[in-house]
Amino acid sequence: MTQKRLSADWESALRESGDPLAGHDFAHLAERLAMVTLAGLTPTADAEKSGRRLGRLLADAHFTAPKAVGQAVMVLARYAPDVGDVYRERQLVLMQGGLAAGHASAVQQRLLTQQEAIHRASSAARDEVARALSESEARWRRLVNQAPVGIAIGDTEGNILEANASLQRMLGFSLEDMRGMRIEQFTHPQDGEDVWSQYADLVAGRRDEYRMEKQYVRKDGEVAWTNLSVSLIRDPDGAPAFQVAVVEDITERHTLAERLQHEATHDPLTGLPNRVLFLRRLDRAVADPGPDERVAVLFIDLDGFKFVNDSRGHIVGDRVLIAVAERLAEASRQSGALIARLAGDEFVALLSGSLEDKQPMTVAEELLAALKQPLKVTGQLPVQVGASIGVVELPSTGANSAEIMQAADLALHAAKEAGKGRVVEHDPKRRAGQLTKFQVAMQLPGLVERGELALVYQPLVRLDSGAVHSVEALLRWNHPTMGSLSPDMFIRIAEENAAILPIGRWVLDRACEDMAVSAWPAVNINVSVRQLYSPQFVDDIRRALDLAQIDPSALRVEITESVVMNLDDPEPVAVLDQLTGLGVRLVMDDFGTGYSNLAALRRLPWHELKLAGAFLESTRAGRAWNPTDQRILATLVDLAHSIDLLVTAEGVETAEQDQQVRSIGCDVGQGWFYARPAPVSSSAIVVSKPRTPPQRRSGTAPNTAPMNTIQVRR
Amino acid sequence: MTNPQWVGEDIDLTRPSVSRMYDYYLGGFHNFGPDREMAEKAISGWPDLPLIMRANRAFLRRGVHFLVEQGVRQFLDIGSGIPTVGNVHEVAQEQAPDARIVYVDTDPVAVAHSKQLLEGNAGAAALAGDFTQPAELLTEVEELGLLDRSQPTAVLLNALLHFVPDEAEPAGLIAAYRDWSAPGSYLMISHATHELHPTEQTEGFKELYRNATSQMRFRGREEVAEFFDGYELVEPGVELLARWRPEPDAPLEDAERFPGWAGVGRKP
């Protein structure tokens, strides 16, 4: 076998077992293998060593597969028949052995090297991943730590594992603090039940996240409001592993929202809930009540507050309201009633629930009693205000907020009617006969045009002679369904809007007309402060006098003392001056109820003075004045006399009272004891003859006294 | 520089890797027990496998030669696997020492190994990347600075696309690489097919790969031809591996033993 053939044989063996991409130069390698083979077979050669070399050459050229060894041994075996020599045959066997050993050892070496390489590669890859991970983790950590929201990680046992800087700042706890804490420790008393049930669901794996607004108590005890969002992280098997909380601090926003909400639902003056909040609570109380639940509304209206306001100014008035609010809030603490301020001096209390141990009437009496104690008002002497309370109580089921309020209003009105300082429970039967303030306000416009107004006249009687001194025009509203309504029910409301002006003008005109056709010496009309501010008022008076053709001195304008005391503005004072300039006489009404500024008596050209009926209220039950009161009143009357003012006593209902007002020197008396108000169209106005001493009569039945008759010419 | 495409990817040596199995088929030792175990299973089900691999390697070699002859000096070999013995850069650089090659593989071990092998070779680099994320992959390639986008580049997708399922829309992915390439660039594909063999065999094979890092999708000749959309197929078009521009003296009677389609296209 020639070297050329051997070489070709090697080459075909190589092609059979080599990698086509690497061993592309098979011919060259085959030639080398043939040369090594031949050289190894020379007599002096070390055949085994040559065999090893062949094996190594093959392995190094990447003929590593077992098949390659087989192919190589076959090449050598195929060469053998041509050798024909025992010695050389032995050489050949040695060479085959060497080849196998050499190949195996080279493959082994290669294998070790490659295994080492792939392991190195895999660990390099792992390192790279680890480095990338740790870089990524560092990045995340930085991000998490610098995030403006609080982030915390906890296990499902409730232990806090990590918390970022924002959360530490937000709650005031350090990471060490928090790592020692359990999530349950962040319970806030205001947490709803759902807070912790959602939490329990999350750690149990029943839900994957929840969001809510939640408050936390900071380490310093302050409250932090947050938007909390908690997510569950599961392990690869889906079992709950960690929880991640993202916590956004919304304290500022919340405080603002709370303040706005508070402002929208609270009265800025007293801090009490306002009408909005009260009605909301009332609506809620009747919206979805339990079977035995009841609801009660106590409508509280101060008695004589307008007087305080008018006589002592709005600043004091406001302070009184603040004091009243505090008093009511304090007094309602035990019953748990919600106290709200509806408007002006109107307050309201709401009770709801079983109401077994807080009877509304009892609560109302408690509130009333609390208000009877003098109020401490900053910078002022203690102030005493009374109140009237209307109470309505009914089962919550089927109740309607608007109807409840209307009923409470009616009850309040009944309380006022009954003489103030009282609690009156709503009587559904009374309802038909009464009007609510709301209804009144709705019906005021057009009152004059509809012709529903009427005047009645009550004489003022000279106590010495029994002659009629004058008559006071008293306004009545002949309501189409409610019958005759007294001014108490609507004048105050009319004063709150411009409705008083047309009413006042009508009163003036009608009184003058009636004066013209009657035999009265004079007529008194009441004028409100709004009228004094009206630019047309003097003209109106002048025109009315002209039309009726009556002497100006027969018209007497009554102005409440409290109004007068507050007349700091020059305009209304000038108006009063103009009136007296016309010859109209000025009467100060309700004198003595306020802190009468005696100086004001001199500032304006008064002609007469009417002592407030309130002085007689304390004597209504038949008691005499106590000596001190009596002396003070006598002094007042003296004082009035000393500046030539005539003094009238109002509200005289009994013979005892008649005696009393005489005893302090009053000149004129007015009241049921002498005569009831009557319309001018009636055939007569009756006046009782002054009798001394009157017989003792029980209660208030003054009209049983003998009457004189005044004929009205018409 | 970290590679965001495979950060955090598990290097799980207990799962067989396609690239390390390939190495084993070719007689390399860059593999681990699980790789060998599965490769052996594959071979026992289809004893011709090593031959098929060889046929593929032979096609690769002929293809790279052809491309260098066409003047291509830039190669982007995606799914290159473990650079067992010899490799594209050796074939190309032997012929054209200025040839530049970028190897891309998803297997971090293969990439790490390639990096070790390519140390000191200024014309070749390896990076980790995913064929199915062309935008990211090409960005990385450009950042590497080895290939000039304005020059023709051959994108080599050897024995890769049968690991890309239809849901990944391989045609669209290929289009992304095509659009990235300069005119005069080439696309080279070899792809396993079920068209020449009994269904049981290919199905069994597919089943086997189900547990590996990649799963198989055999495709027919037409489907492979469609991958050359936007390219002009060079002669002889999409052909059996062994029949694609064979060596003059190569035996062709066994060509159908090697069930893979091969083709090279030129972007006009």
Side-chain angles (χ1 to χ4, degrees):
Chain A
M1 196 183 196
T2 62
Q3 184 182 341
K4 197 175 174 186
R5 260 191 63 209
L6 180 63
S7 187
D9 200 15
W10 270 118
E11 193 179 333
S12 77
L14 292 177
R15 282 199 190 280
E16 193 62 29
S17 56
D19 177 39
L21 199 61
H24 49 278
D25 203 351
F26 295 122
H28 179 73
L29 180 59
E31 207 165 307
R32 277 189 75 190
L33 290 169
M35 280 169 66
V36 172
T37 310
L38 290 175
L41 292 175
T42 55
T44 56
D46 183 341
E48 196 199 349
K49 196 178 167 190
S50 297
R52 282 179 190 276
R53 199 165 163 219
L54 288 173
R56 205 161 45 245
L57 278 169
L58 285 170
D60 287 352
H62 200 65
F63 295 90
T64 51
K67 189 179 174 189
V69 186
Q71 293 282 342
V73 169
M74 298 284 278
V75 170
L76 294 184
R78 274 198 294 277
Y79 185 62
D82 295 342
V83 175
D85 168 334
V86 176
Y87 177 73
R88 287 183 72 183
E89 272 181 25
R90 194 178 123 79
Q91 291 279 80
L92 199 62
V93 171
L94 282 173
M95 185 177 274
Q96 283 177 331
L99 185 142
H103 188 264
S105 127
V107 165
Q108 187 184 39
Q109 211 169 3
R110 195 180 175 88
L111 183 146
L112 292 175
T113 312
Q114 290 196 1
Q115 284 283 299
E116 199 186 330
I118 192 67
H119 276 113
R120 217 165 47 234
S122 72
S123 72
R126 274 179 195 278
D127 289 351
E128 175 69 4
V129 169
R131 192 181 61 78
L133 266 182
S134 85
E135 252 179 34
S136 148
E137 197 177 324
R139 232 178 1 244
W140 271 105
R141 190 163 281 277
R142 235 174 8 249
L143 181 88
V144 164
N145 237 351
Q146 291 170 359
V149 293
I151 299 173
I153 301 173
D155 62 20
T156 51
E157 309 289 310
N159 299 304
I160 295 166
L161 307 175
E162 296 287 347
N164 73 348
S166 286
L167 190 64
Q168 294 170 36
R169 261 197 314 276
M170 209 181 290
L171 301 183
F173 291 102
S174 71
L175 180 58
E176 285 63 41
D177 289 340
M178 281 196 265
R179 279 193 172 140
M181 296 174 80
R182 298 177 51 78
I183 287 165
E184 289 90 337
Q185 280 172 271
F186 289 98
T187 305
H188 187 277
Q190 302 286 307
D191 287 345
E193 267 179 34
D194 59 328
V195 171
W196 295 99
S197 69
Q198 292 192 53
Y199 171 78
D201 284 352
L202 183 98
V203 294
R206 289 189 293 269
R207 65 188 304 152
D208 281 308
E209 60 164 23
Y210 62 88
R211 285 158 200 275
M212 59 178 53
E213 273 194 12
K214 172 167 164 44
Q215 0 181 10
Y216 286 96
V217 181
R218 290 171 45 89
K219 191 177 187 178
D220 60 15
E222 291 292 305
V223 166
W225 270 98
T226 67
N227 246 346
L228 173 67
S229 155
V230 183
S231 312
L232 181 67
I233 309 286
R234 296 173 183 273
D235 66 17
D237 300 328
F242 297 102
Q243 44 179 326
V244 176
V246 176
V247 190
E248 185 192 355
D249 190 345
I250 54 164
T251 307
E252 261 179 43
R253 202 165 83 203
H254 203 276
T255 313
L256 180 67
E258 215 168 43
R259 209 179 71 221
L260 290 176
Q261 167 76 3
H262 189 271
E263 277 171 9
T265 55
H266 287 77
D267 166 38
L269 178 66
T270 62
L272 288 179
N274 66 7
R275 179 184 291 271
V276 173
L277 182 57
F278 169 76
L279 289 177
R280 203 182 287 164
R281 291 284 172 82
L282 177 60
D283 284 342
R284 202 190 297 162
V286 299
D288 186 23
D292 294 323
E293 280 187 11
R294 299 181 72 77
V295 60
V297 168
L298 285 53
F299 205 144
I300 305 155
D301 189 279
L302 301 186
D303 295 334
F305 174 73
K306 182 170 162 28
F307 166 69
V308 172
N309 225 5
D310 289 343
S311 66
R312 296 171 72 178
H314 288 285
I315 295 175
V316 176
D318 284 354
R319 287 178 185 162
V320 169
L321 289 175
I322 292 169
V324 166
E326 281 169 5
R327 185 63 59 79
L328 289 173
E330 199 179 289
S332 66
R333 199 154 293 149
Q334 208 193 333
S335 63
L338 171 82
I339 302 286
R341 181 178 171 220
L342 295 187
D345 60 347
E346 294 171 9
F347 294 85
V348 73
L350 173 68
L351 288 160
S352 59
S354 76
L355 301 192
E356 267 165 19
D357 45 4
K358 40 181 177 182
Q359 291 293 325
M361 287 301 281
T362 315
V363 173
E365 294 289 356
E366 282 167 10
L367 294 180
L368 208 58
L371 286 179
K372 275 187 180 141
Q373 305 302 315
L375 298 166
K376 289 189 189 75
V377 177
T378 323
Q380 299 284 321
L381 293 169
V383 173
Q384 185 144 18
V385 294
S388 302
I389 303 184
V391 177
V392 59
E393 184 205 346
L394 68 172
S396 306
T397 312
N400 164 301
S401 293
E403 283 168 12
I404 293 174
M405 288 311 291
Q406 208 170 32
D409 195 353
L410 288 171
L412 172 65
H413 196 79
K416 289 265 183 198
E417 289 266 282
K420 304 187 175 174
R422 288 163 203 237
V423 176
V424 170
E425 189 164 14
H426 173 65
D427 174 1
K429 289 194 291 261
R430 192 169 49 218
R431 190 176 155 188
Q434 291 204 344
L435 265 186
T436 63
K437 273 187 183 169
F438 176 72
Q439 286 171 310
V440 168
M442 291 293 289
Q443 293 175 16
L444 277 178
L447 197 52
V448 172
E449 290 78 357
R450 291 199 303 273
E452 291 175 13
L453 290 178
L455 288 180
V456 292
Y457 296 93
Q458 186 174 38
L460 283 71
V461 178
R462 283 194 168 269
L463 294 176
D464 52 3
S465 64
V468 172
H469 169 69
S470 176
V471 291
E472 182 178 355
L474 299 170
L475 186 59
R476 292 287 181 269
W477 177 3
N478 291 322
H479 193 278
T481 56
M482 301 291 160
S484 180
L485 304 176
S486 82
D488 294 356
M489 290 192 64
F490 62 95
I491 283 301
R492 211 171 121 187
I493 301 168
E495 275 175 355
E496 285 168 12
N497 54 49
I500 192 68
L501 293 177
I503 293 175
R505 209 173 297 131
W506 180 86
V507 168
L508 170 66
D509 292 347
R510 172 52 58 97
C512 288
E513 282 171 32
D514 288 348
M515 173 68 209
V517 296
S518 68
W520 306 327
V523 67
N524 291 20
I525 59 167
N526 290 277
V527 167
S528 87
V529 70
R530 256 183 191 265
Q531 287 172 281
L532 294 186
Y533 275 94
S534 160
Q536 297 151 15
F537 183 58
V538 175
D539 284 345
D540 286 346
I541 296 245
R542 201 180 282 130
R543 188 177 39 83
L545 291 172
D546 285 353
L547 272 175
Q549 294 189 319
I550 56 170
D551 190 89
S553 65
L555 181 64
R556 292 174 186 172
V557 170
E558 290 193 15
I559 297 163
T560 307
E561 180 205 12
S562 58
V563 170
V564 175
M565 291 308 154
N566 277 298
L567 289 181
D568 292 332
D569 291 343
E571 295 160 52
V573 173
V575 165
L576 293 177
D577 276 334
Q578 288 178 43
L579 290 187
T580 52
L582 290 176
V584 173
R585 306 187 70 154
L586 290 187
V587 180
M588 185 184 281
D589 199 5
D590 260 344
F591 182 79
T593 45
Y595 289 78
S596 303
N597 182 350
L598 294 173
L601 284 174
R602 288 177 46 212
R603 207 177 56 192
L604 285 164
W606 302 103
H607 298 92
E608 297 182 19
L609 193 140
K610 288 171 95 171
L611 282 180
F615 285 118
L616 290 171
E617 272 179 26
S618 59
T619 67
R620 196 159 39 194
R623 284 198 313 270
W625 282 316
N626 70 43
T628 312
D629 284 350
Q630 173 129 10
R631 262 201 305 281
I632 290 172
L633 287 168
T635 309
L636 274 179
V637 174
D638 272 353
L639 184 81
H641 286 160
S642 73
I643 51 173
D644 292 329
L645 299 184
L646 204 68
V647 178
T648 301
E650 284 184 299
V652 179
E653 296 182 358
T654 66
E656 289 86 347
Q657 290 176 334
D658 173 63
Q659 267 311 108
Q660 284 172 319
V661 300
R662 284 169 189 275
S663 70
I664 57 167
C666 290
D667 306 297
V668 178
Q670 182 181 0
W672 285 10
F673 178 69
Y674 311 107
R676 290 192 167 221
V680 74
S681 54
S682 72
S683 59
I685 286 179
V686 290
V687 177
S688 72
K689 206 176 199 167
R691 292 145 24 93
T692 41
Q695 292 168 355
R696 268 198 100 74
R697 255 175 259 112
S698 63
T700 52
N703 51 350
T704 57
M707 298 288 168
N708 269 356
T709 300
I710 301 175
Q711 290 300 327
V712 177
R713 55 186 163 91
R714 193 145 216 190
Chain B
M1 179 60 209
T2 58
N3 189 326
Q5 289 182 53
W6 51 285
V7 160
E9 187 179 307
D10 249 359
I11 298 187
D12 186 358
L13 300 180
T14 64
R15 281 182 76 193
S17 136
V18 168
S19 38
R20 293 192 298 267
M21 284 166 68
Y22 192 60
D23 173 74
Y24 180 77
Y25 293 141
L26 294 171
F29 304 118
H30 298 103
N31 43 65
F32 300 103
D35 308 319
R36 296 191 282 274
E37 196 183 319
M38 206 178 95
E40 280 300 337
K41 270 189 205 163
I43 292 170
S44 69
W46 198 343
D48 274 350
L49 264 186
L51 283 178
I52 296 167
M53 303 303 166
R54 286 188 57 196
N56 188 44
R57 298 274 287 179
F59 160 70
L60 176 58
R61 178 185 168 73
R62 298 196 303 278
V64 171
H65 267 301
F66 169 80
L67 291 169
V68 174
E69 277 166 16
Q70 305 309 304
V72 176
R73 291 296 177 269
Q74 306 193 116
F75 295 86
L76 179 56
D77 184 356
I78 305 177
S80 49
I82 304 267
T84 310
V85 276
N87 228 317
V88 172
H89 73 281
E90 291 175 16
V91 175
Q93 285 176 346
E94 189 194 49
Q95 217 176 332
D98 59 337
R100 293 174 303 284
I101 296 93
V102 173
Y103 294 110
V104 180
D105 205 288
T106 51
D107 181 353
V109 179
V111 173
H113 188 237
S114 304
K115 281 182 173 167
Q116 285 171 13
L117 277 179
L118 296 174
E119 233 164 73
N121 187 334
L127 59 82
D130 185 348
F131 168 71
T132 62
Q133 308 289 329
E136 286 88 338
L137 192 154
L138 290 169
T139 304
E140 296 256 334
V141 168
E142 283 179 30
E143 280 173 4
L144 208 57
L146 203 57
L147 304 186
D148 179 355
R149 192 184 164 177
S150 67
Q151 297 299 312
T153 303
V155 174
L156 313 186
L157 305 178
N158 273 289
L160 172 75
L161 292 170
H162 46 239
F163 294 120
V164 179
D166 291 344
E167 305 85 76
E169 293 176 15
L173 298 171
I174 292 168
Y177 295 95
R178 180 195 67 215
D179 294 346
W180 176 84
S181 311
S185 292
Y186 285 85
L187 172 67
M188 176 174 168
I189 291 177
S190 65
H191 197 296
T193 183
H194 53 292
E195 288 178 320
L196 307 171
H197 287 273
T199 316
E200 310 88 71
Q201 195 163 34
T202 47
E203 281 303 310
F205 200 66
K206 259 164 79 175
E207 189 56 41
L208 195 65
Y209 266 84
R210 192 145 294 162
N211 291 321
T213 48
S214 308
Q215 290 164 26
M216 290 205 74
R217 163 75 166 88
F218 291 98
R219 289 189 179 90
R221 190 176 197 163
E222 283 306 309
E223 287 175 292
V224 174
E226 278 165 19
F227 287 152
F228 287 97
D229 182 41
Y231 289 92
E232 291 165 353
L233 276 166
V234 302
E235 281 299 317
V238 174
E239 244 314 343
L240 285 172
L241 279 173
R243 288 211 176 123
W244 193 91
R245 291 179 180 251
E247 303 279 355
D249 53 347
L252 289 179
E253 62 274 18
D254 276 348
E256 297 197 351
R257 279 175 72 190
F258 314 134
W261 297 114
V264 172
R266 180 180 183 275
K267 176 176 173 178

